[in-house]
Structures are given as structure tokens and as C-alpha cells.
Amino acid sequence: MAGALLAASLLSGCDRIEQFVKGSSQPAPVAIPAQQDGRVAMLLPDFTQLVSRDGPAVVNIQATREGGGAAPQQSGNMPFPVPEDDPLYDFFRRFMPNQPPQQEQGPEESVSYGSGFIISSDGFILTNAHVVADGGQIRVTLTDKRELRAKLMGLDKRSDVALLKVAAADLPVAKIGNPADLKVGEWVAAIGAPFGFDNTVTAGIVSAKGRSLPDETLVPFIQTDVAINPGNSGGPLFNLRGEVVGINSQIYSRSGGFMGISFAIPIDLAMQVADQLKTKGKVSRGQLGVNIQEVTQELAQSFGLQRPSGALVVRVDPKGPAAKAGLQAGDIILKLNNQSIDSSKDLPMLVGSLGPGTKIKLVVWRKGFEKTMEATLVEQAPEPGNTTKPASDNSPQGYQFGKLGLTLSELTTDQRADLGIRGGLLIQKSQGPAARSGLMPGDIILGLNQNDITSINAFEKALAGAGGHAALLVRRGEAVLYIALRTD
């Protein structure tokens, strides 16, 4: 499964609870406790009607990759989901359906397995981009066992959404719901083909909403504890009304299998992507032209904010909309079009949902005051490659700031030219408070509390007015970030 993430070891404990399950003709959205013989009986939801009524809209997908060697190890596209030395390998080799033996695949061919669901009766299907990316032939299997050749209408790797089309009519269609109406703790169900076992139903609850994952800044994921495994990718996440509220996309796992944490793409975002793929074959998003980071409690104190909120700007593209609007490194974006930015992850999601050419209004925090700015978004471009040279080691004389644990030196003219910056101080040594704050030798200090640092004298002057809290704008390799440091 694409983007499967390594998680820290999880400890779990559960109390023993005895339950009495009563049959119900209608799904119950909430478990209702009742007393019986001194024990608690729970009326649990019934998913049978959901499966029989809405399950036929779910499909299995196989994408054959040719000429590219082995496929990425994701979404169950390996012939078997366990290594050969695993005790379960023989079981999967002998009994797992829809999986050809490994030796039957040619050396230049691999197959990706996943799920999807039909969104229109004339054959449009939604799935994950990582299931069908680079696929030469895509085949879709319906619940009535029909196999159809699918055409890839387009895919968007940033949201991990792909749109397929099969030549068919009068197909069963999945009902689309509204993820905004989902509540944490609400029952949900998934239908897909984990490990090739088609039409598999799993259920659980919504664990959280609006999750932001590493390297996934455009999708506010729905987190659930629904069992999702390789092969479920691209399948629907249903609410109890039988409406699709998400596309199962990723798991948080140490083993590659389900560990109780799954993530789904909200269906409203996926449908927006699908509409653009259907009409244009690609997705256009707005771009502001800034690099941002989270505002911690320490940084909030350094910038004079009452509480940590907003998106802290660490770099402004000199040719982007933000620069034209007057944004600067050190500004904290608090609102976009009157919508509060509670966390830095909110900003790219909001900007990414708007198209190029959209005019937006920003409220930013700068040096103790709120300031309103207007900007016009441009087309989002691929991330640039790393072309900047690192700073060299032939630095001039170092200046010690023993109380901070820093030894700094001014950059040479050649170093500034190589790095493309006007000033900055190179950290030669970092120890004590500086090291504990995360400052490292080789970092370059570009600013202090929204003041540009071009020399040792400028640093001393800004430090004197820091008032016990310093937010250092630091360049580390190709990254730029703020690091909080106490100066008292």
C-alpha cells in the first residue's frame, strides 16, 4: 500500500466486556447500552443491508505493469503479502485467491491489486492513484464476476486519486455522502479485496478527522480503526446510511499489515479531483508560494502571540503571489478568507482546494500586530530540485556566545553567492542551550524574531531586544525553519 508509514511501537490493553448482540433489521448508528442480568448488553449496528444494497458498486482492480521490473511494494501488489521465511507464506501460496504463483510472472511484469467503486452508471470508477500508476493494462472485476478492460482517464498523485472508465451501462452506483457530517466515534465500514479476498467487509469507528500525514499536506485524512490491508486500497469507506464518505488509502504500520490505524481520503475532495480529471485529464490547484512550519508554544511566545496557532512563514518565493502581496519570512498567517488557520496543516489544504487565479485575503501577524493582505493564487508547480550548494568550511573567525552555547561566524562573499542569500551567520559550534533547542553546526542563522541577521553586530542587537525568547530563522541544507531558543 502506497505511503505505508512506519509507526512507533504501540501498546494496547483492553478490559473484558461481555456483550449481547440483538439482531436488527436497520443499522443502529449508536450502540445503546441496556441492563441484562447485571451485565451490559449492547445493540450493535447491522451492516447486512448496507452490504447487499451498496456492495455491488465495489469492484476489484488489477493493473499490470510491463517493462518496469518489480512494482512498488504497496497495496498488495506482491505475489504474496509475506516473505518466504514467514510461517504464513505457505498458506498464502496455496490458498490466497486471485494471486498467480510468483514464478508465473515474467521478469519484466508485475501486478498491482486494489479496489475501487463505481460513481456513475456509465462506467466511471474511483480508486487510488498508486493502484494504477504506471499500469499498462487495467482490468476491473465486478461483483457479478464480469471482467472489463478499464481506461485510465487521469490520476493525481498529490491526492492519490485516479479515475477509470469501463465500457458498460446500467451499472450499480455508490451513493456519495458528506464527510463534514461524520462524527468521531461514528460507525463506518469498508468493502474491498484485502490480500485478494474479494468482497470482504470490515467495520469500525471514525477515530479522528482532519489528520495530516508526513509528505501528505493536501489531504485532511479520515482516521479509522477499520481493518484495512493490502488490496483494500481505493475501496470505499461507508457510513451506516450506505453513503461513501472516503477512499481507503493508507495504513500506519510497522509490519505492512493492519495495526488498528487506517486513513481514508474524504470523498468530497476525491470527487473534486475526479471532476477535473474527467473534464481536463489533470488537476489544477492554487499556489501561494510560501514554505511554512507549525507554531509551537515557544515560538508563539517569541512572536508575542497569546496562543500557538497559524502557519509560520519560513520562506517566500520571490516570484510567487505571496511575495507580490508583501508577505515576509516570520509572518504568521492567521486567517485565509476569514477562515481561521488553527494549525499550519490547514493552510496548504485550503490553498490547494482553490484554483489558480483565485483572489484570497490573508490576515497575518507581524511584529505584534495583525495585518491584512490580498494575493492572487497561481498554478501549483512541481517542487524544485535541490540545486543549492552547501556552505563551505573555510569560515572566518568565530564569535562565542557562551550563554547560548553558540559559536558563530559571518559568511564569506563566496558562501553567500553559493547559497543565494544576502547575509546570515554560520553556526560553528552548538552546545548547552543551543544544542538542546535543536541548533546544529552547519546551520545558518538568517533571522531573529523577524529581524534579518546580516552580521554579528546585527545578531547582538536583535538578541538584546529579544526579551528572553528568540525565534531563530535557520537554514539547514535546503530546508528553512524557525527554532525557539531561550536567551535569559
Side-chain angles (χ1 to χ4, degrees), residues 75-92:
S75 188
N77 50 18
M78 295 181 64
F80 303 106
V82 294
E84 293 186 22
D85 58 352
D86 192 286
L88 291 177
Y89 176 83
D90 187 60
F91 167 80
F92 281 104

Side-chain angles (χ1 to χ4, degrees), residues 317-448:
D317 181 355
K319 298 181 180 180
K324 295 178 182 178
L327 263 74
Q328 303 173 3
D331 287 344
I332 299 176
I333 301 176
L334 301 176
K335 291 182 180 180
L336 188 154
N337 291 345
N338 296 322
Q339 189 161 351
S340 297
I341 307 297
D342 295 322
S343 173
S344 62
K345 68 182 180 183
D346 297 336
L347 183 65
M349 293 178 186
L350 291 173
V351 173
S353 66
L354 303 174
T358 303
K359 293 183 178 181
I360 61 172
K361 182 178 292 185
L362 299 172
V363 176
V364 303
W365 181 264
R366 178 183 295 175
K367 297 184 178 181
F369 298 95
E370 288 189 359
K371 187 178 180 67
T372 302
M373 301 179 178
E374 293 184 351
T376 302
L377 302 180
V378 297
E379 176 79 24
Q380 191 174 82
E383 295 184 2
N386 295 335
T387 57
T388 307
K389 299 179 182 179
S392 58
D393 292 331
N394 53 343
S395 303
Q397 177 183 355
Y399 295 82
Q400 294 185 359
F401 293 82
K403 191 175 181 180
L404 302 179
L406 284 173
T407 300
L408 307 175
S409 65
E410 296 181 351
L411 297 176
T412 65
T413 302
D414 290 341
Q415 287 174 331
R416 294 180 183 180
D418 287 342
L419 293 167
I421 56 179
R422 295 184 300 106
L425 300 179
L426 176 68
I427 298 180
Q428 293 183 340
K429 292 183 181 179
S430 176
Q431 54 192 8
R436 290 192 293 271
S437 297
L439 294 169
M440 302 168 57
D443 288 348
I444 297 173
I445 299 176
L446 302 176
L448 192 158

